[in-house]
Amino acid sequence: MQRNSIMSKTNEGEIDSRYCQWCFDNGSFVYQDFEQMLSFLISNMPREGMDEEESRKIFRLFKKSAILEK
């Protein structure tokens, strides 16, 4: 079960469980491009001992695999 407090909301204020509030809010994406979102992730997500470049590489690989799964 997902916590509604971190879920995004539509323009109508309804919970949109597809995204978190930091990526999508009030019916639109918060970030203009992937690099902008990546900078946010790197500075706010746990990196489990990885340096910044290693973290960027992992997120880019995740993005690539997510696109290929569609």
Side-chain angles (χ1 to χ4, degrees), residues 1-8 15-21:
M1 183 167 163
Q2 296 172 335
R3 292 178 36 202
N4 288 345
S5 63
I6 65 167
M7 295 290 93
S8 66
I15 299 292
D16 185 343
S17 62
R18 296 176 300 169
Y19 306 102
C20 71
Q21 68 182 358

Side-chain angles (χ1 to χ4, degrees), residues 25-56:
D25 194 33
N26 292 321
S28 61
F29 287 99
V30 174
Y31 303 102
Q32 301 304 310
D33 60 39
F34 180 72
E35 291 302 317
Q36 188 181 29
M37 182 180 75
L38 185 56
S39 292
F40 173 82
L41 290 172
I42 296 300
S43 63
N44 291 284
M45 299 292 286
R47 292 195 256 155
E48 300 182 14
M50 292 183 286
D51 66 22
E52 182 175 332
E53 193 51 43
E54 288 174 302
S55 296
R56 286 181 180 278

